[in-house]
């Protein structure tokens, strides 16, 4: 890198990051003013971020379940599945009597007479076979609102009216169904966001206080990222509106963690370098410029890897992933820019007061623990590589037993919510598949009316399908060209057995047995899960490789090497397998769950691969720096662990802890995500980046940088110059 003569003597490096560092250090008020103006503009004009829990809305129109839903809505506009379900039982737990059933019928009429807005009809069902409960189906108008606001408002009013009408009777009840689950998911999500936000901020405060012993440093990310988060939320909302992206309700909780967790990581990257430059004798402004120069490349390349990983999700066939990727990518991009401009400008204004009241920043710590680890690894890199590799490989074996589940609605609500409690009661009292029957639509393709003989014969054929408990009498539309069959399965509609039934024998039979001149479509919730599974498998084959290839190219450009990126990505892949295996062992094999939420591997891949690459980049760029100071590969690896180890350890601990806070939400979806991502980050930071990567690099030696010579010895700048290269212990410059 070229150098320029400084006014006070010495040299300063030329290039984008040195120039940015010097400009930010000397014009902090301009940078802060620009951020304030942008924040005010975005907060003032950005729309509200809308979310949804409707799985079908995430699927493209060419999937059969979506086609069946569209046909059902057009052919049977008044026969849509109830938006909500009132479930009633005796308060003393006894079986329902004829008098109770009559009271429920009267209750339905009373609720209808209340004229609750957006409740179009109520239909009283038959008592369950065991007389444990009885239901009232609630019809509501469909609309294009992804949050189903009209329906959720109707559920709120209906719940109040229901409890009022049940007062003084022998009955008790609650409301479940799609609209009720959406309402409870939103309520649960708001509580989860508050809890996650408090836990994340509290953890960051405590850990930064321990690391830097300064309340100023501890509050720095909370205040600055609080501003950044408002800008990110507004930009995401604009992008979602502009491109009609459907955002899952769990995204907002994840955004909190991404912004504060990743943002604190980048602040740590900068602060450790800033403190290091101060100890080397730089003035505060020189230290800011030098820290941006040295940490800038790591922050941008690491953030670029994260952004690329998230943007690779736009290649997904699922609207859920296509919206999730850009949302998280925008959050990281804004955080990255803040890490290079806003944070350094604030630190430039505060100078050494940023560490108040601690004076520890003046003295280089002994770093005995990381020095000992680095020294041992430098002497025995093969042992460190073997042990860390075996640990990750052993955990990765369990990943092959992963089984997906697809019910986002129940996974995004707390177990104690009204919709979840009464949904379980309904399942316990009825056949498992009765809660959400599948639909088979038989449609004439030649315009002729369907005959009764065809309808009856087709019903009998469907009833013989293995896994089908019951098939309703066909219900033709007004023109007689479309008939609807309600198909009750033997198993829970979201179970693997039900999915296998719809995917295999039900759809096969429905298509093949359709009479001449007709065609059949299989829809319903279980069919949606089947199609989501198919879409996810497609995404595994497309998104994963594309993200891996682009990140490998980024590593190649950053390291000027074709060899190092290959084993770095291999190590990240091993870390991903270990993370998925650990999650399977905890939640699926030991936790009693039938499977893990279907989107977990994709989200985990994005976070573990991207953030694992973050720490790999930080470690190997420091290793390269030590090699340029004249150290041989093993000594360079040892010094890299000594100096980069504390940064990676602190960043990994904060980020893993931030994502672990998702487990406090009380939702199975966020609990699994929280554990998986936090475990993946811990493995990436404390196993892969700390041990495996530097050990492999030490073993590969100079060949790691082939065909370039990125580890070639560089002549350091004049002592005391801004942006002076740092060579670790004693600033060694001996040549090999």
């Amino acid at each position: 890198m070229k150098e320029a003569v400084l006014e006070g003597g010495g040299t300063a490096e030329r290039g984008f990051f040195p120039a940015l560092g010097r400009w930010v250090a000397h014009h902090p008020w301009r940078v802060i003013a620009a951020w304030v103006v942008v924040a005010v503009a975005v907060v003032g004009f950005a729309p509200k971020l809308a979310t949804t829990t409707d799985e079908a809305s995430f699927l493209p129109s060419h999937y059969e379940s979506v086609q069946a839903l569209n046909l059902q809505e057009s052919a049977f506009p008044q026969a849509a599945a109830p938006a909500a379900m009132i479930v009633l039982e005796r308060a003393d737990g006894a079986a329902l009597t004829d008098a109770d059933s009559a009271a429920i019928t009267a209750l339905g009429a009373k609720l209808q007479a209340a004229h609750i807005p957006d409740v179009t009809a109520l239909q009283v069902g038959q008592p369950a076979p065991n007389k444990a409960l009885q239901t009232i189906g609630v019809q509501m108008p469909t609309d294009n609102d992804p949050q189903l606001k009209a329906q959720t408002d109707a559920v709120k009013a209906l719940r109040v009216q229901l409890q009022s009408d049940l007062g003084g009777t022998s009955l008790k009840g609650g409301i479940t169904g799609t609209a009720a689950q959406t309402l409870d998911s939103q309520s649960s999500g708001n509580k989860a966001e508050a809890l996650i936000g408090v836990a994340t901020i509290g953890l960051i405060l405590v850990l930064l206080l321990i690391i830097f012993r300064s309340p100023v440093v501890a509050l720095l990310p909370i205040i600055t990222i609080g501003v950044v988060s408002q800008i990110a939320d507004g930009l995401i909302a604009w992008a979602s509106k502009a491109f009609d992206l459907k955002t899952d309700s769990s995204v907002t909780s994840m955004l909190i963690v991404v912004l504060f967790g990743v943002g604190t990581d980048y602040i740590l990257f900068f602060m450790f370098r800033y403190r290091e430059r101060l100890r080397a004798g730089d003035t505060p402004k020189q230290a800011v410029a030098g820290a941006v120069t040295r940490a800038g490349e790591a922050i941008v390349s690491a953030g670029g890897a994260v952004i690329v990983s998230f943007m690779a999700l736009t290649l997904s066939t699922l609207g859920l992933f296509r919206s999730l990727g850009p949302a998280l990518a925008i959050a990281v991009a804004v955080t990255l820019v803040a890490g290079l401009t806003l944070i350094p400008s604030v630190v430039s204004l505060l100078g050494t007061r940023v560490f108040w009241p601690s004076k520890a920043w003046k003295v280089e710590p002994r770093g005995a623990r990381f020095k000992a680890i680095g020294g041992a690894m430098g002497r025995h890199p093969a042992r460190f590589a073997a042990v860390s590799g075996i640990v990750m490989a052993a955990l990765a074996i369990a990943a092959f037993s992963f089984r997906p589940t697809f019910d986002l609605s129940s996974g995004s609500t707390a177990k104690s919510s009204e919709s979840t409690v009464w949904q379980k009661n309904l399942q316990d009292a009825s056949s498992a598949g009765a809660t959400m029957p599948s639909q088979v639509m038989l449609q004439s393709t030649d315009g002729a009316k369907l005959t009764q003989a065809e309808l009856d014969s087709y019903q009998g054929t469907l009833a013989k399908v293995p896994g089908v408990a019951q098939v309703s009498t066909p219900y033709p539309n007004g023109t007689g060209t479309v008939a609807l069959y309600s198909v009750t399965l033997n198993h829970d509609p979201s179970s693997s057995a039900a999915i296998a039934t719809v995917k295999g024998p039900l759809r096969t039979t429905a298509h093949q047995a359709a009479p001449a001149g007709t065609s059949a479509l299989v829809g319903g919730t279980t069919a949606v899960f089947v199609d989501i599974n198919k879409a996810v498998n497609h995404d595994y084959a497309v998104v994963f490789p594309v993200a891996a290839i682009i990140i490998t190219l980024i590593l190649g450009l950053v390291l000027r090497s074709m060899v190092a990126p290959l084993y770095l990505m291999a190590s990240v892949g091993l870390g991903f397998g270990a993370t998925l295996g650990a999650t399977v062992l905890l939640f699926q094999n030991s936790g009693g769950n039938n499977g893990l939420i279907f989107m977990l591997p994709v989200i985990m891949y994005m976070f573990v691969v991207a953030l694992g690459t973050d720490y790999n980049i930080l470690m190997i760029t420091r290793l390269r720096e030590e090699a340029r100071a004249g150290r041989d590969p093993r000594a360079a690896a040892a010094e890299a662990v000594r100096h980069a180890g504390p940064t990676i350890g602190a960043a990994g601990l904060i980020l893993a802890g931030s994502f672990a806070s998702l487990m406090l939400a009380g939702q199975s979806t966020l609990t699994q995500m929280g554990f998986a991502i936090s475990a993946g980050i811990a493995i990436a930071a404390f196993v892969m980046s700390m041990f495996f990567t530097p050990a492999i690099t030490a073993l590969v030696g100079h060949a790691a940088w082939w065909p370039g010579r990125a580890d070639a010895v560089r002549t350091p700048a004049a002592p005391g110059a801004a942006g002076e290269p740092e060579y670790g212990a004693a600033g060694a410059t001996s040549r090999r």
Side-chain angles (χ1 to χ4, degrees):
M1 186 177 293
K2 295 183 179 180
E3 298 172 339
V5 179
L6 291 172
E7 291 180 4
T11 57
E13 292 176 278
R14 289 178 177 173
F16 174 75
F17 293 112
L20 176 65
R22 289 191 293 272
W23 195 88
V24 169
H26 290 90
H27 304 284
W29 283 115
R30 295 185 186 181
V31 176
I32 294 172
W35 275 95
V36 171
V37 170
V38 171
V40 171
V42 171
V43 172
F45 296 100
K48 181 178 175 57
L49 179 63
T51 62
T52 181
T53 58
D54 180 13
E55 292 95 335
S57 67
F58 298 132
L59 283 168
S61 58
H62 67 269
Y63 281 96
E64 183 174 346
S65 59
V66 179
Q67 294 175 352
L69 177 62
N70 293 337
L71 177 59
Q72 181 178 346
E73 290 179 346
S74 62
F76 306 97
Q78 303 303 320
M85 187 75 70
I86 300 174
V87 185
L88 299 153
E89 61 184 29
R90 284 185 60 93
D92 58 8
L96 293 171
T97 64
D98 291 341
D100 293 327
S101 187
I104 291 173
T105 300
L107 175 65
K110 190 174 182 180
L111 290 172
Q112 184 73 64
H115 299 295
I116 296 173
D118 294 305
V119 173
T120 56
L122 290 98
Q123 184 176 7
V124 179
Q126 296 297 317
N130 59 2
K131 303 290 185 180
L133 53 79
Q134 192 168 350
T135 62
I136 301 176
V138 183
Q139 295 286 351
M140 298 179 186
T142 59
D143 53 40
N144 295 321
D145 181 4
Q147 291 184 295
L148 303 176
K149 187 177 187 306
Q151 294 190 2
T152 55
D153 287 346
V155 171
K156 288 180 186 178
L158 191 59
R159 280 177 170 171
V160 173
Q161 186 67 44
L162 174 64
Q163 297 308 319
S164 174
D165 291 346
L166 287 175
T169 71
S170 61
L171 301 171
K172 66 177 182 178
I175 303 178
T176 186
T178 302
Q181 287 175 339
T182 299
L183 173 63
D184 291 342
S185 175
Q186 292 171 352
S187 175
S188 179
N190 292 335
K191 294 177 182 177
E193 285 180 33
L195 184 60
I196 290 167
V198 170
T200 300
I201 293 172
L203 176 70
I204 291 172
L205 282 171
V206 170
L207 291 178
L208 288 180
L209 279 171
I210 293 173
I211 294 169
F212 291 99
R213 304 172 191 174
S214 167
V216 180
V217 176
L219 289 172
L220 182 62
I222 307 303
I223 296 173
T224 54
I225 298 174
V227 175
V228 169
S229 68
Q230 297 302 308
I231 296 174
D233 286 347
L235 294 178
I236 292 167
W238 262 325
S240 298
K241 183 177 181 179
F243 298 101
D244 192 27
L245 301 175
K246 300 205 176 350
T247 306
D248 177 56
S249 57
S250 64
V251 170
T252 51
S253 297
M254 294 178 65
L255 281 174
I256 296 173
V257 177
V258 169
L259 286 164
F260 280 94
V262 175
T264 303
D265 260 16
Y266 295 158
I267 291 174
L268 283 174
F269 289 4
F270 169 80
M271 289 302 298
F272 272 93
R273 284 289 193 168
Y274 174 67
R275 187 174 64 178
E276 195 172 328
R277 294 312 311 148
L278 289 175
R279 288 169 177 166
D282 285 358
T283 65
K285 289 193 181 298
Q286 286 178 330
V288 167
V292 172
T293 298
R294 293 304 176 197
E297 183 181 29
I299 291 174
V300 169
S301 54
V306 177
I307 293 170
V308 165
S309 295
F310 290 155
M311 288 304 295
L313 290 175
T314 58
L315 300 175
S316 170
T317 55
L318 285 174
L320 166 62
F321 294 146
R322 287 200 306 275
S323 61
L324 175 64
L328 297 179
I330 290 171
V332 173
V334 176
T335 305
L336 185 156
V337 175
L340 292 176
T341 57
L342 181 60
I343 300 301
S345 66
V346 173
V347 173
S348 179
L349 288 175
L350 294 175
T352 57
R353 294 188 297 274
V354 74
F355 298 110
W356 180 88
S358 174
K359 302 295 184 181
W361 63 269
K362 295 182 178 181
V363 182
E364 177 74 29
R366 294 175 59 190
R369 184 168 302 172
F370 285 99
K371 182 178 180 180
I373 293 173
M377 194 209 61
R379 292 189 300 272
H380 309 288
R383 295 181 188 178
F384 277 74
V387 172
S388 55
I390 289 172
V391 168
M392 291 190 288
L395 288 172
I397 293 174
F400 291 100
S401 61
F402 167 77
R403 293 191 302 273
T405 58
F406 299 89
D407 190 359
L408 280 180
S409 298
S410 62
S412 60
T413 56
K415 294 182 179 179
S416 59
S417 66
E418 181 175 331
S419 61
T420 301
V421 170
W422 287 99
Q423 178 75 6
K424 185 177 185 304
N425 290 350
L426 184 60
Q427 290 178 344
D428 291 343
S430 309
S431 61
T435 57
M436 290 184 288
S438 296
Q439 290 85 40
V440 175
M441 313 287 296
L442 186 65
Q443 179 181 24
S444 172
T445 57
D446 56 11
K449 287 187 176 182
L450 301 171
T451 67
Q452 190 62 46
E454 288 176 331
L455 296 177
D456 293 342
S457 175
Y458 192 65
Q459 177 188 6
T461 302
L462 293 177
K464 296 177 183 178
V465 173
V468 171
Q470 184 180 3
V471 179
S472 70
T473 301
Y475 177 61
N477 69 338
T479 61
T481 56
V482 182
L484 168 66
Y485 296 84
S486 181
V487 180
T488 302
L489 304 177
N490 287 327
H491 302 282
D492 182 334
S494 62
S495 67
S496 298
I499 290 172
T501 296
V502 172
K503 179 181 179 181
L506 181 57
R507 275 188 170 170
T508 300
T509 302
H511 297 160
Q512 294 179 351
T518 68
S519 63
L521 294 171
V522 178
T525 301
T526 306
V528 169
F529 295 156
V530 171
D531 291 340
I532 288 178
N533 189 24
K534 183 178 180 181
V536 169
N537 289 336
H538 166 271
D539 294 346
Y540 289 160
V542 174
V543 176
F544 284 14
V546 168
I549 290 171
I550 297 177
I551 293 175
T552 302
L553 293 175
I554 290 175
L555 288 172
L557 292 173
V558 171
L559 302 175
R560 282 82 167 174
S561 166
M562 295 176 61
V563 176
L566 297 179
Y567 66 77
L568 289 178
M569 286 306 299
S571 70
V572 170
L574 193 58
F576 165 78
T579 304
L580 182 57
T583 309
V584 167
L585 288 174
L586 180 62
F587 289 97
Q588 184 175 295
N589 296 354
S590 302
N593 294 325
N594 292 327
L596 304 178
I597 194 69
F598 74 92
M599 60 184 175
L600 185 63
V602 175
I603 291 177
M604 194 180 70
Y605 178 84
M606 295 299 106
F607 278 103
V608 173
V609 169
L611 298 175
T613 303
D614 268 18
Y615 300 138
N616 265 345
I617 288 173
L618 190 63
M619 177 60 74
I620 201 159
T621 52
R622 185 64 192 230
L623 193 152
R624 180 184 61 186
E625 187 175 318
E626 298 298 337
R628 288 173 174 176
R631 293 182 172 87
D632 63 62
R634 295 194 178 200
E639 284 299 307
V641 171
R642 176 187 174 186
H643 291 286
T647 308
I648 292 174
L653 186 61
I654 288 176
L655 194 57
S658 298
F659 278 105
S661 67
L662 292 173
M663 300 175 68
L664 302 175
Q667 306 171 9
S668 62
T669 298
L670 290 178
T671 298
Q672 292 176 19
M673 284 185 188
F675 173 82
I677 298 172
S678 61
I681 291 167
I683 290 172
F686 298 102
V687 180
M688 182 177 65
S689 300
M690 200 85 74
F691 299 137
F692 191 76
T693 293
I696 292 294
T697 305
L699 289 173
V700 176
H702 300 301
W705 310 100
W706 184 89
R709 297 188 60 198
D711 63 336
V713 177
R714 305 288 177 92
T715 302
E724 175 187 352
E726 303 155 277
Y727 297 139
T733 59
S734 60
R735 296 183 179 273
R736 284 169 291 201

